[in-house]
Amino acid sequence: MDRFELVRASFEKKAVAAENPAMKTSDYFGELVFDRAKMHKYLDAETLAAILKCIDEGGALDRKTADGVAKGMKAWAIEHHVTHVTHWFQPLTDGTAEKHDSLIDYDGKGGVIEKFDGKMLAQQEPDASSFPNGGIRATFEARGYTAWDPTSPVFIQDDTLCIPTVFVSYTGEALDYKTPLKRALKAVSDAAVPICQLFDKKVSKVYSYLGWEQEYFLVDEALYAARPDLMITGRTLMGHNSSKNQQLDDHYFGAIPSRVASFMRDLEVSAHKLGIPVKTRHNEVAPNQFELAPIFGETNLANDQNQIVMNLMNMLARKHGFVVLFHEKPFDGINGSGKHNNWSLGTDTGVGLFSPGKDPKSNLQFVTFFVNTLAAVQKHNALLKASIASATNAHRLGANEAPPAIVSAFLGKTMTDVLHKLLEVPSDTPIEIAGKKGKSLGLVEIPEIFLDNTDRNRTSPFAFTGNRFEFRAVGSYANCAGAMTTLNAAVAEQLREFKAALDAELASGKKLEIAIMDTLKPIIKSIIDVVCFDGNGYSDEWQVEAKKRGLDVETSVPEMIKEFTTPDAMKLFTSTGVYTEKELEARNEVKWETYSKKIQIESRVMVRMATNHIIPAVLEYKAKLLKEVALNKEIFGSTEGCEVELEIIGKINRFAAEIQEKATAMREARKKANVLESEYDKAVAYHEIAEDLAALRRPIDKLEEIVDNKMWPLPKYRELLFIS
């Protein structure tokens, strides 16, 4: 089947009707999740009380409770025709992992029974050496453990009971994303609660909340199969821009194509059954780009749900004749895909710590957490950038509405003015909501319609958007936990330092409100003209200015990764209990190794496509042109009238020679990189190879413009980017 038949077949493929029960969403929401409602139904009173205490208060899970939970969970699962069970975890691959075990066991009478007990629920032993581990586990030291995370509900996928777990080595080191995330969430709660209790003694816990926005591309399955680069690397390593892409701004929020809408409905039903509150769906800016977003939730659970949704999308897209692309930059010249992390903190008394309150005291609490978050971002801006750095996200940052590789914070005029005024007024000046009370001289006012008083800045990596911060730099493919672990740990450290400084002020006899403001003012002064930036993050002037301000401007991913083992980072993570030094060093090794391997794969694919696909097609077209020229000379005795053919032949010769030269040089560069023993040195070498990929692409894309369209061996952007 040639390229045109593939296009025709993909366009003619009929949409699959979505599974859409004839009932309200609320009737089936969470039916495949063993949530609290199921616990009340299937667990005895003693087991229920014990497991809820474990979930709400962080208590230990004993064997008796585990057996009781497993008994009720088994009854529920069998009602849903479950035959297998798996510990579902998140290794350092940015994906998920699962090993399915049947529930059957011998019954002692020559038959089998369904067996599921507390031991199977609470712990399993996968091979730790087969997952990225940075040297923590060798092949001859393979033991590792998965252990149930009771705060993330068990769910059913097809015929399998999936148990969300942490993944640790035999010697206790974290080998996953969930373990350090849970440590960071505890650290930020422990640091925030003593400050909250200065305002409300009833606060006993602070929650971190996450609302992720998942951007993605869809391409026709048949066309995807005809692009080796898409299949193997997730992005197009070559391809000239389509004459029309996103320049007319007609895709964003446009009518959703019927086939895509069918896929979205199927996805939403599946997600809702799993208790995932997906709410928003729409066309994104680029052709074939879309977005999905849920109602925000507690960070650990929200992150698990994002991983589940990504797996669902991969599975359901095929059902509708699509392949979903999570690569941050699958197509050159148009928007890439991010996973904006909307992050906030809130108390167990229902107070949002990034929302102004009803009186000066609660507004002071808001300002306290607002300012300390900005201070944490400023101090660890390089580390936050490292937390989202990857070989794939590097293509996206700094172009087509994605934020630049400089972490700054956008506040908007409202909060910028508030911070400036706080520096000017006495420390005992009340902070009011404008319009709530009569004005008084020198009052610091926050506008009543607060949510509408922050504009949007798409070039800002960390933007305040009314009652939360939006970490826009996170990539579409990434596990949110990487960024969320670093952010929550950084804020936890800053809150602890603030509390220590505040205690010193209070010890001098100052009133609480004055002591807080006297502690905050030096922080405000240090951040207001450094990390706070509301301008154009793409401008050359900002690159220069950011460096002057002391912000990190590094663009090399291997160099960014080094930030995790700097003295400041080591102090941050070890003091908060989020990572040990050994875990940090191991994760750096994993990140460097992953970076090198991804660029290595891209380089191999591109060189092979250039030599096995492009050059043969080009030479075939050249031969056709030469026959035309030869025939002209044979009939007319000269090449007069063949100027066009000769000009194209000349271009083909030049571009083909350039491709061959660059492809050969890239092979040699890989050979040199591959023998380097240090993962860091290898990653640096592959960073240079990554820079050369664009140079090899240029002559290929030039040839696409001049070679006979029927002879070009790959589906083009104009075919890939417009779903019919």
Side-chain angles (χ1 to χ4, degrees):
M1 184 179 286
D2 67 21
R3 178 164 56 88
F4 294 96
E5 289 172 327
L6 286 170
V7 176
R8 202 160 42 244
S10 64
F11 284 175
E12 291 172 354
K13 190 174 182 74
K14 294 182 179 179
V16 179
E19 179 190 355
N20 193 4
M23 58 181 77
K24 302 191 301 295
T25 302
S26 56
D27 291 335
Y28 59 88
F29 186 85
E31 70 177 35
L32 298 180
V33 180
F34 196 72
D35 53 19
R36 287 177 186 250
K38 310 294 192 313
M39 290 180 185
H40 278 83
K41 180 178 179 180
Y42 289 90
L43 303 184
D44 62 73
E46 182 181 356
T47 301
L48 177 64
I51 189 61
L52 291 181
K53 183 178 180 181
C54 177
I55 293 171
D56 295 334
E57 301 177 18
L61 180 69
D62 58 68
R63 180 60 187 270
K64 181 181 178 182
T65 301
D67 282 337
V69 173
K71 180 181 178 181
M73 196 177 287
K74 174 187 170 185
W76 170 73
I78 289 177
E79 287 178 10
H80 286 81
H81 312 292
V82 164
T83 58
H84 289 71
V85 62
T86 183
H87 274 203
W88 181 87
F89 57 102
Q90 299 168 40
L92 301 180
T93 58
D94 277 332
T96 59
E98 51 197 68
K99 175 176 71 75
H100 297 197
D101 289 317
S102 171
L103 293 179
I104 64 169
D105 200 358
Y106 286 121
D107 64 357
K109 303 175 184 178
V112 295
I113 58 172
E114 283 74 26
K115 179 181 178 181
F116 182 62
D117 58 18
K119 183 179 180 182
M120 294 173 70
L121 168 65
Q123 184 175 303
Q124 282 189 357
E125 185 184 322
D127 183 349
S129 68
S130 297
F131 293 98
N133 59 69
I136 288 177
R137 296 274 83 189
T139 302
F140 61 90
E141 298 172 318
R143 196 182 299 274
Y145 296 107
T146 51
W148 179 34
D149 171 17
T151 63
S152 187
V154 170
F155 60 95
I156 294 173
Q157 188 79 60
D158 296 326
D159 63 354
T160 303
L161 188 69
C162 300
I163 303 169
T165 64
V166 298
F167 179 37
V168 298
S169 72
Y170 178 72
T171 47
E173 292 88 4
L175 297 175
D176 65 345
Y177 282 99
K178 181 184 276 285
T179 302
L181 176 62
K182 290 180 69 67
R183 293 171 183 168
L185 299 180
K186 181 180 186 303
V188 79
S189 179
D190 290 348
V193 165
I195 299 173
C196 290
Q197 288 178 343
L198 297 173
F199 301 92
D200 181 359
K201 294 292 185 184
K202 297 178 183 178
V203 175
S204 60
K205 189 171 184 178
V206 168
Y207 294 96
S208 167
Y209 293 103
L210 168 64
W212 44 264
E213 302 171 25
Q214 181 70 60
E215 295 177 337
Y216 61 98
F217 282 83
L218 290 174
V219 295
D220 281 293
E221 188 175 18
L223 299 178
Y224 171 85
R227 292 282 314 214
D229 48 354
L230 269 182
M231 290 182 65
I232 298 174
T233 73
R235 76 179 182 109
T236 53
L237 297 172
M238 55 192 69
H240 200 282
N241 290 344
S242 173
S243 300
K244 177 185 181 294
N245 46 57
Q246 66 186 46
Q247 67 265 50
L248 294 179
D249 301 321
D250 56 348
H251 192 257
Y252 192 51
F253 282 14
I256 300 172
S258 58
R259 287 178 58 203
V260 177
S262 180
F263 159 72
M264 288 178 168
R265 285 192 296 271
D266 207 355
L267 175 61
E268 286 175 352
V269 170
S270 298
H272 289 154
K273 286 183 177 182
L274 291 169
I276 303 171
V278 293
K279 186 176 179 68
T280 301
R281 66 188 188 197
H282 63 81
N283 287 4
E284 254 299 332
V285 173
N288 281 25
Q289 188 186 33
F290 308 94
E291 183 178 293
L292 166 78
I295 301 170
F296 75 93
E298 188 275 322
T299 297
N300 178 49
L301 177 58
N303 185 64
D304 284 358
Q305 290 177 339
N306 179 247
Q307 293 297 304
I308 295 170
V309 163
M310 291 173 74
N311 289 339
L312 280 176
M313 292 169 77
N314 277 321
M315 176 183 67
L316 293 174
R318 298 280 186 166
K319 183 178 172 183
H320 292 264
F322 294 124
V323 173
V324 62
L325 303 178
F326 291 118
H327 192 291
E328 284 80 359
K329 197 74 170 180
F331 302 103
D332 188 46
I334 59 175
N335 277 24
S337 295
K339 180 147 51 192
H340 306 157
N341 281 204
N342 293 277
W343 170 82
S344 63
L345 297 173
T347 69
D348 56 354
T349 59
V351 175
L353 295 177
F354 296 129
S355 298
K358 299 178 180 179
D359 53 54
K361 188 174 183 180
S362 55
N363 288 330
L364 181 58
Q365 178 176 255
F366 155 68
V367 170
T368 297
F369 281 91
F370 180 81
V371 169
N372 277 292
T373 295
L374 293 173
V377 171
Q378 176 171 303
K379 181 177 180 181
H380 294 293
N381 69 92
L383 188 60
L384 285 166
K385 182 168 67 177
S387 75
I388 56 89
S390 68
T392 54
N393 204 22
H395 296 289
R396 164 181 167 259
L397 296 180
N400 300 99
E401 296 192 359
I406 300 171
V407 174
S408 61
F410 171 82
L411 309 186
K413 186 176 186 302
T414 299
M415 286 311 301
T416 300
D417 290 346
V418 167
L419 293 187
H420 279 295
K421 194 163 187 179
L422 286 172
L423 290 176
E424 299 168 1
V425 300
S427 294
D428 60 353
T429 304
I431 304 173
E432 297 279 14
I433 302 295
K436 292 289 186 184
K437 295 183 179 181
K439 291 186 178 181
S440 61
L441 188 64
L443 199 68
V444 176
E445 293 182 332
I446 300 173
E448 184 176 1
I449 309 175
F450 186 69
L451 291 178
D452 293 330
N453 277 275
T454 56
D455 200 352
R456 290 188 179 271
N457 186 329
R458 294 185 180 276
T459 69
S460 177
F462 197 79
F464 184 63
T465 55
N467 58 0
R468 63 194 182 278
F469 286 93
E470 184 179 11
F471 196 3
R472 294 182 57 84
V474 184
S476 172
Y477 182 75
N479 187 314
C480 297
M484 289 294 98
T485 298
T486 301
L487 177 58
N488 282 285
V491 172
E493 179 195 55
Q494 174 60 31
L495 291 174
R496 287 166 54 173
E497 292 177 358
F498 170 80
K499 184 61 167 58
L502 175 61
D503 288 344
E505 294 287 346
L506 290 170
S508 67
K510 293 181 181 178
K511 296 172 73 172
L512 177 63
E513 290 79 3
I514 295 175
I516 289 176
M517 282 310 307
D518 283 351
T519 308
L520 284 176
K521 282 186 175 181
I523 301 174
I524 295 172
K525 190 174 182 180
S526 69
I527 65 175
I528 194 68
D529 294 321
V530 180
V531 74
C532 302
F533 176 68
D534 290 357
N536 179 11
Y538 291 165
S539 70
D540 293 336
E541 292 79 9
W542 171 233
Q543 314 295 314
V544 176
E545 173 65 22
K547 190 172 184 178
K548 286 182 181 177
R549 293 186 182 193
L551 298 177
D552 187 85
V553 297
E554 181 61 64
T555 58
S556 164
V557 172
E559 296 299 328
M560 293 180 196
I561 293 169
K562 287 174 69 175
E563 287 296 329
F564 277 98
T565 49
T566 62
D568 281 348
M570 287 284 195
K571 176 178 175 293
L572 161 66
F573 288 123
T574 57
S575 67
T576 54
V578 173
Y579 292 116
T580 65
E581 289 190 11
K582 185 176 181 180
E583 287 171 338
L584 285 169
E585 290 167 352
R587 280 164 195 261
N588 270 19
E589 291 293 304
V590 170
K591 287 175 180 288
W592 282 320
E593 182 181 11
T594 301
Y595 178 87
S596 298
K597 286 180 177 178
K598 286 195 173 183
I599 303 302
Q600 181 189 65
I601 291 169
E602 287 193 349
S603 174
R604 285 175 173 172
V605 171
M606 189 164 197
V607 168
R608 288 170 184 173
M609 287 181 69
T611 55
N612 296 337
H613 290 70
I614 304 304
I615 288 181
V618 166
L619 294 181
E620 183 181 357
Y621 181 52
K622 175 186 171 183
K624 179 181 177 182
L625 293 176
L626 286 171
K627 286 181 182 178
E628 291 290 331
V629 173
L631 184 60
N632 192 88
K633 187 174 182 180
E634 180 181 336
I635 295 174
F636 300 107
S638 74
T639 58
E640 185 178 351
C642 297
E643 290 80 10
V644 173
E645 291 93 330
L646 291 171
E647 181 181 353
I648 293 174
I649 290 169
K651 288 180 179 180
I652 288 174
N653 288 337
R654 291 196 302 275
F655 291 140
E658 185 178 352
I659 291 170
Q660 188 68 25
E661 178 187 354
K662 292 184 183 303
T664 301
M666 190 169 286
R667 284 196 195 96
E668 294 304 311
R670 280 206 313 268
K671 289 178 182 178
K672 293 178 181 178
N674 291 341
V675 298
L676 297 173
E677 294 185 4
S678 161
E679 292 296 347
Y680 165 71
D681 290 340
K682 188 178 294 185
V684 170
Y686 267 105
H687 175 67
E688 295 180 9
I689 293 173
E691 298 287 307
D692 292 336
L693 288 171
L696 177 52
R697 176 179 187 149
R698 278 193 291 271
I700 296 173
D701 289 357
K702 291 287 187 182
L703 284 168
E704 184 183 315
E705 287 283 271
I706 62 175
V707 170
D708 186 341
N709 190 53
K710 293 180 180 179
M711 299 178 73
W712 193 253
L714 304 171
K716 297 181 177 181
Y717 272 24
R718 67 170 181 265
E719 296 151 355
L720 290 166
L721 282 174
F722 297 95
I723 290 173
S724 174

